[in-house]
Every structure is written in structure tokens, then in C-alpha cells.
Amino acid sequence: MALHELSQTFSNARAVEAPRTVVSSLQPDAAASALAQMRQLLIVLGGTGLAALGLLAVLCFGSTPVEPEIVAFCLGAAALSLVSCLWMCRRSLDRSEAARLAIASHVQGVEAAGALGLRWNLVTGDLAWAGDTSRLFSTGESCPTSFRDFRQWLHPDDFLYASISQALKNAQKRVNWPVRIKDAEKGWRTFQLRGEISSTPQGAPAFDGLLVPVDASPVPQGLEGFPSLPDIVESLPISIAIWDRANRLVLCNRKFRQLYRVSAAAALPGTSYEEIQAQTREAIAQRPPEGRGVVGRFQLQERQLDDGTWLQIGEYWTGEGTLVSFGTDITMQKQTQHRVLEREQQMRARVDGFEQSRRQLEIQARQLRELAESYNEEKIRAEAANQAKSEFLANVSHELRTPLNAIIGFSEMMRDGVLGPIGNPKYETYVKDIHNSGRYLLEMINDILDMSKIEAGRWTLSPEWFTMGDVFQECLSVVSPVAMEGSVELSQTGNPGISLYGDRRALKQVLINLLSNAVKFTPQGGKVSLRAYRYRGSIRIAIADTGVGIPKHDLGRLGRPFEQVSNQLTKGHKGTGLGLAISRSLVEMHGGKLDIKSRVGEGTTVTCILPVQDEKEIGREAA
């Protein structure tokens, strides 16, 4: 009977110790020490009684006679040891029963609160649970026995392993952290993980504690299904941080961690400001100040972080000394404000520049008015001088024509011997020279008169319809004697049947001037061609020669009155330079233009480009 009770005592003691390892917070350390001492005393008393009985048996069955006093002493010692052992066993049973009832009561209270006991070996990751785990893992899956399996039940933002590692690094014993665990029916449930970091018998670090559910606040009627306040704070786009009077973090959201680049494991509730600042990459602007603020007063201020981010920080002090800080990112507003200021400065600079430009323009306008007045005066003078020049040339030319006509007429009579032959042959040569010089002077005077009329605007056109072939024959007949004298070949190509509406006499003068220039500057054996054709809605008359050519830099000077281009090849050719100028002016009076292309040593092509006139439109204008 005594041995049975003794074994029952040890089994009860083990039964009491098993749950104690899981819910160590419910059994004090003194109870564990007393249980160990009681176990050692039972072993000593039982061993003493058994030793006394064994000694008595040896003495009784041995050959040596035993004294009655010795037998009585052994029997008394054995009886005393066994009685003491039985008494200690009974006391142990009573204590174990009391401990079992106490633990059962504590476990029942923990289970009634919905809490679970947890033992976590931080080296192997093994988990041991105590309590009804079906309330937590209600999806029908087995209870996780390792932290690797348990990790899938944790919220992604709850870095429990990192938090434990940080606690071990800081030699932190007591643990009190919020943890969110997945529930298939209710979503994420919040628990408070409370316990202590201790060591296993093998010396490995372990965690013993409880998972206590955090009762959610009653949801007002009509707001079922809405997110909880922590979820709302976590999802807000502003940075929120709450600090207690000891500068410890009470709450922060995701925006706070992102803004200051701190991990969720390093920004857990209860962490001091210094520890969080040591983990961040940026200086925390939402920090508890040196002195306590005014209770119930809301303050606003603006700060710039090291990375250039601007925050508008609002601070509010509660009556318990807690600081609630709100940080709003106003970087975009600051950048916009900066751009507005820059644009304002640019606009001011532009306005100043426009004002300077306006003053400069006023000065220039005044100068332009003065120049315009001076120009008008000079223009009137130039026009008057030009008019006087034209009148002078016209008068002089008219006065020169009368003696020139007499000189030319009498020289012709003397050359032809109308009144008889001249006695001396030398005089015949002089007469020819006088006649040629007179003809040259007459042509020059006629050109001057024509140019004066054109410049004075007194040249009037008499347009009519005529065929180009008829004009070509007349012009070639005039130039042919000079061409034959210089051994220059004249040819006509193109379409001479083209009809043209214009001043026949003026265009004939243009062609004679151009053909004469071509023959004059074409060496012996050269060719001069006259061609008429239609091209791109215009009538074109081209006079091409194989003469000396004109340098490219001198082409711009051609067509100006009294301008001549001279080089080694054109020396010895007389001229006033008015023929080409008159031709250009007459062509432009017909609405056309003169185009000159030339290469030195290859020849020159002068093209008269005239517009095509419609007979119906001309008849309508005449009517």
C-alpha cells in the first residue's frame, strides 16, 4: 500500500509539472523548488527504511547471534522511516491535488478568456500549445507544431521572429506584443502575446507565455463589416505616430514606417525613441520634444527631411502626457509653390525686359521717324534730281540729235558721192569714220532717251497680238549684217508660231539688244541661237551664245544702268551698258522677268520669261 501511494505521488507530481512548463506564468518558482525538495526527502526516507529492513534480515538469518537491542533498533528505525515516508506521501498527495486544482482553475480561467498557452523553442522552432486550439485554428487544419508552419497564420506585417530576435539581442525578458492571426471566418484576429523569454533544461532560449485575445470594441449598429480603427489608421495616407510620456512608441502606421524607412519589427509598440532613431535612415521629424507641450493644444509646423521631403506636422498633447503626431506630405505643394515663385520671378524678369524693350522701341521708333522724315526729304531731293537729270538728258539728247542728223546725212552723201567723187581717197576713209561715229552717238542718245522715259514713267506700252516668228525675222535681219561681218552663225529654233500679247516695238527692241550683245561678245566661228517655247505656264524666249561668258560674281551687276562687266575677254568692245538695263525694264513692264545664266569660256543664255495672256480675258478687259 505504501509503495503504491508513493508511485501515485510521483505520477501526480509529473502531471502537475507537465502543464506548468506550458503555463509557467500560472505556477510560481517557489512551488517548483518545494516539489524538488519533497522528492529528494521521500527518496532519503524510503531508502533509509529499506536499508534498515535489509540489515535486520541479514542479522536474523546469519550464523552470528544478534543482540535483542540491535534487532529492536533496526525494527524501530525501519518502522520510523516507513511511517515518515507514508506521512510524506500523504502530504505530497494533498499538495499535488491542491496544485492540480489550482492549475486546473487557472487553465479554466485562461480558456474562459479564450487564451492559449504557448511554449516556443527559439532554437529548434518547436511549438507546444496548451488549451483549446480549435478556437484559434477553426479551419479544420492541424495545430502547427513548428514556427515555420505557424508563420502562414501570421499577418504579413507582424514580424514576430524579428521581434523575438531583437528582444534576445537587447536581453529583454518580458514580452507584451500585439499579434494578428488569420481566421477564416472573421478575417484577422488580434491577440496580445504576453510571456517571458527563459531557457530550456538544455540551455537553449525558449519563450513561455499566453496568446490572449483582444476584445474588439462593440460595433455600432449599421457599421457591421466596416474595417476596425487600427486598420483605418494603418491605411491612412498620412504619417501617424503616438508617443507616451516616457518617449516610447505607442502606435505608428505604415506611412510612418515608409517615410522614415524603418521596418515594422523595429517600430513595435513600447520601443523607445532612441532605438527607433538608431534603426531609421532619416532623422525622425515626428519626435517627442525636449519639453512637454501644452495639454489640449494643436500645433502646426513644417519640416524638411534629409531626402528633400516636406512634412506638415500637427502635434496634440493629451492629458496623460501622450503626444499624437500627424505628418502630411506637402512636397508637391512646396514644389508647386517653388515653381510658382520661379515663374513669378521669371515673369518679373520678362516684364522688366519688356519694359526695357519698350523703352528701346520708343527710342528706335523716334529714330525711325527721324530717319523716315530724313528719308522723305532725301527721296524728294533724289526724285527732283532724277527728274532734273531725266529732263536734262532728254533736252541734251534732243539738242544733240539735230546736229547728229546733219552730220550723219552729209557724211552719207559724201560717202556715196552724191555731188561727185572726193578727190583724195584718204577723205573717203575719214567720211566713213565720221558716219560710223555719228551712228554710234545717235544709238547712245536713243538709249539714254529710252532709259530716261522708263525711269520717269513716261514709257507707255501699246499691247497687241502678234506672232513670234514675224518679230524673230525682223530682229534677225537687223543683226545679220553684224553677225556676218564677225563670222558668227545665227539660228532660230523652238516654236516661232507662238502668239504673244504685248508691245511689239518694245519686245523687238529687247530682242535686238540681246542679239546684238550676243553677237558682239561671241568670237569668230561662234554660234548664237534664238528659241521660243512654252514652259510651266509661261512663254520663254532664250538667246544663247557660245561667247566669252560672264563670271558668277558679276551676274548681279548686269541690268543696272551704265553698268558694264569687263575682263580680258571683253576688252575692246564699246557700249554704255544701257541696252541690257532697258531690256530688263521693258520685260518687267510686261509682267515678266529676265533670267541670265553664264559660264566663263562656255557662253551665256539670256531668257525672257513672259506670262501667258488669255484672249477671252483680254477681250473682257477691253470691253
Side-chain angles (χ1 to χ4, degrees):
M1 178 64 183
L3 294 176
H4 174 71
E5 291 180 353
L6 184 61
S7 62
Q8 184 67 29
T9 299
F10 285 119
S11 62
N12 290 338
R14 286 193 297 270
V16 171
E17 185 180 7
R20 187 187 67 80
T21 59
V22 177
V23 273
S24 60
S25 61
L26 302 180
Q27 182 70 16
D29 294 339
S33 177
L35 183 60
Q37 293 177 4
M38 182 185 65
R39 186 183 301 172
Q40 295 175 1
L41 184 57
L42 288 176
I43 293 174
V44 171
L45 292 176
T48 303
L50 292 177
L53 292 177
L55 178 60
L56 181 60
V58 172
L59 294 175
C60 291
F61 292 100
S63 58
T64 304
V66 181
E67 294 293 334
E69 292 83 358
I70 296 176
V71 174
F73 175 77
C74 290
L75 289 175
L80 181 60
S81 297
L82 292 176
V83 170
S84 298
C85 185
L86 291 175
W87 181 78
M88 291 296 294
C89 286
R90 174 58 60 183
R91 187 178 178 183
S92 177
L93 287 174
D94 294 340
R95 288 185 176 180
S96 63
E97 182 64 20
R100 186 186 65 79
L101 292 176
I103 292 175
S105 176
H106 291 166
V107 171
Q108 184 178 1
V110 171
E111 290 180 353
L116 293 175
L118 172 63
R119 182 174 180 82
W120 178 12
N121 190 319
L122 300 180
V123 176
T124 62
D126 295 336
L127 300 178
W129 301 89
D132 187 6
T133 58
S134 61
R135 296 183 181 181
L136 178 61
F137 307 101
S138 57
T139 58
E141 299 184 11
S142 60
C143 178
T145 58
S146 66
F147 183 76
R148 180 178 298 176
D149 299 333
F150 182 56
R151 185 178 296 174
Q152 63 181 347
W153 295 86
L154 293 175
H155 194 278
D157 292 339
D158 292 342
F159 300 96
L160 184 56
Y161 190 83
S163 301
I164 286 288
S165 300
Q166 186 70 21
L168 288 174
K169 182 179 179 181
N170 298 333
Q172 182 180 349
K173 294 295 184 181
R174 299 288 181 177
V175 170
N176 188 0
W177 296 325
V179 177
R180 288 169 288 183
I181 299 177
K182 181 168 58 177
D183 189 341
E185 297 178 357
K186 301 180 181 179
W188 295 101
R189 296 177 59 190
T190 303
F191 290 81
Q192 199 71 18
L193 183 62
R194 300 176 180 175
E196 188 178 53
I197 299 176
S198 59
S199 300
T200 62
Q202 291 78 19
F207 171 79
D208 294 317
L210 295 176
L211 272 176
V212 182
V214 178
D215 293 335
S217 301
V219 180
Q221 187 177 2
L223 297 179
E224 296 82 359
F226 278 77
S228 62
L229 182 59
D231 294 335
I232 295 176
V233 172
E234 185 72 13
S235 62
L236 287 177
I238 62 176
S239 173
I240 298 177
I242 302 176
W243 306 89
D244 62 8
R245 64 173 60 243
N247 293 345
R248 292 191 299 266
L249 184 66
V250 178
L251 174 67
C252 69
N253 64 346
R254 183 194 299 268
K255 184 64 176 179
F256 177 86
R257 297 190 294 270
Q258 291 178 350
L259 191 62
Y260 299 105
R261 302 180 185 179
V262 59
S263 63
L268 296 173
T271 308
S272 65
Y273 163 74
E274 290 76 12
E275 294 177 355
I276 297 178
Q277 181 64 76
Q279 297 294 327
T280 60
R281 300 180 182 178
E282 302 286 346
I284 298 178
Q286 297 174 250
R287 53 170 294 177
E290 298 294 337
R292 187 172 301 177
V294 180
V295 176
R297 183 177 179 182
F298 187 80
Q299 298 178 347
L300 277 177
Q301 56 182 331
E302 294 180 357
R303 295 182 184 177
Q304 187 179 18
L305 302 183
D306 294 339
D307 61 352
T309 304
W310 278 93
L311 289 181
Q312 186 181 53
I313 300 175
E315 296 180 347
Y316 180 80
W317 286 88
T318 65
E320 293 80 11
T322 302
L323 172 64
V324 182
S325 177
F326 303 91
T328 305
D329 190 348
I330 58 172
T331 305
M332 293 297 295
Q333 292 88 328
K334 282 291 185 178
Q335 292 177 353
T336 303
Q337 182 180 2
H338 182 67
R339 287 195 294 268
V340 170
L341 291 176
E342 287 184 348
R343 291 179 180 177
E344 183 178 355
Q345 293 176 357
Q346 292 176 0
M347 291 299 296
R348 289 179 179 176
R350 290 181 180 178
V351 170
D352 295 340
F354 290 155
E355 185 65 22
Q356 294 178 0
S357 299
R358 185 184 65 81
R359 298 193 191 98
Q360 187 68 24
L361 288 174
E362 290 179 353
I363 296 173
Q364 292 178 357
R366 185 170 62 254
Q367 294 175 351
L368 287 175
R369 285 195 300 269
E370 296 174 355
L371 289 175
E373 293 174 358
S374 176
Y375 170 75
N376 289 331
E377 294 177 359
E378 295 298 328
K379 181 180 179 182
I380 293 173
R381 293 177 182 176
E383 289 177 351
N386 189 40
Q387 183 70 22
K389 178 202 69 173
S390 299
E391 292 178 358
F392 171 76
L393 290 176
N395 293 331
V396 170
S397 300
H398 180 72
E399 294 297 330
L400 290 175
R401 271 186 171 183
T402 303
L404 278 176
N405 288 330
I407 293 172
I408 293 172
F410 290 138
S411 63
E412 286 181 352
M413 293 176 62
M414 294 173 67
R415 183 193 62 187
D416 296 336
V418 174
L419 299 178
I422 299 177
N424 193 339
K426 197 70 174 177
Y427 290 155
E428 295 181 359
T429 303
Y430 294 159
V431 168
K432 290 181 180 179
D433 292 339
I434 293 171
H435 181 266
N436 292 334
S437 298
R439 296 283 301 183
Y440 176 75
L441 286 175
L442 182 61
E443 290 178 359
M444 184 179 66
I445 291 171
N446 289 335
D447 289 342
I448 293 174
L449 286 174
D450 292 341
M451 197 69 216
S452 299
K453 288 182 180 179
I454 293 174
E455 289 181 349
R458 295 199 302 267
W459 186 294
T460 57
L461 298 178
S462 301
E464 59 177 320
W465 284 102
F466 61 90
T467 304
M468 297 298 300
D470 299 337
V471 177
F472 283 1
Q473 292 299 326
E474 295 176 4
C475 294
L476 291 174
S477 63
V478 173
V479 181
S480 292
V482 181
M484 293 176 63
E485 184 179 352
S487 301
V488 177
E489 180 183 351
L490 287 176
S491 63
Q492 177 183 341
T493 59
N495 185 8
I498 297 175
S499 296
L500 180 65
Y501 186 76
D503 190 326
R504 180 188 182 103
R505 185 181 67 84
L507 292 177
K508 178 180 177 182
Q509 182 176 351
V510 169
L511 295 180
I512 290 174
N513 287 339
L514 297 178
L515 287 171
S516 298
N517 287 338
V519 171
K520 182 167 58 174
F521 294 104
T522 301
Q524 292 184 355
K527 296 181 180 180
V528 175
S529 63
L530 179 62
R531 177 189 175 196
Y533 61 97
R534 293 178 180 270
Y535 182 73
R536 292 185 178 180
S538 63
I539 298 175
R540 304 196 175 195
I541 305 172
I543 294 94
D545 62 63
T546 59
V548 295
I550 303 171
K552 187 175 181 179
H553 60 274
D554 289 333
L555 290 177
R557 298 168 51 196
L558 295 177
R560 298 177 185 174
F562 303 101
E563 286 279 352
Q564 281 187 307
V565 178
S566 60
N567 53 33
Q568 292 296 118
L569 300 176
T570 59
K571 286 182 178 180
H573 296 283
K574 299 178 181 180
T576 60
L578 292 175
L580 193 58
I582 294 173
S583 301
R584 181 186 292 274
S585 299
L586 292 177
V587 171
E588 290 176 352
M589 290 176 66
H590 282 80
K593 64 179 181 178
L594 207 64
D595 181 63
I596 303 175
K597 295 181 179 179
S598 180
R599 287 188 178 181
V600 177
E602 296 183 5
T604 304
T605 301
V606 181
T607 305
C608 301
I609 304 175
L610 300 171
V612 176
Q613 301 290 343
D614 190 357
E615 294 184 7
K616 295 181 180 180
E617 294 295 332
I618 294 174
R620 191 175 302 168
E621 291 177 0

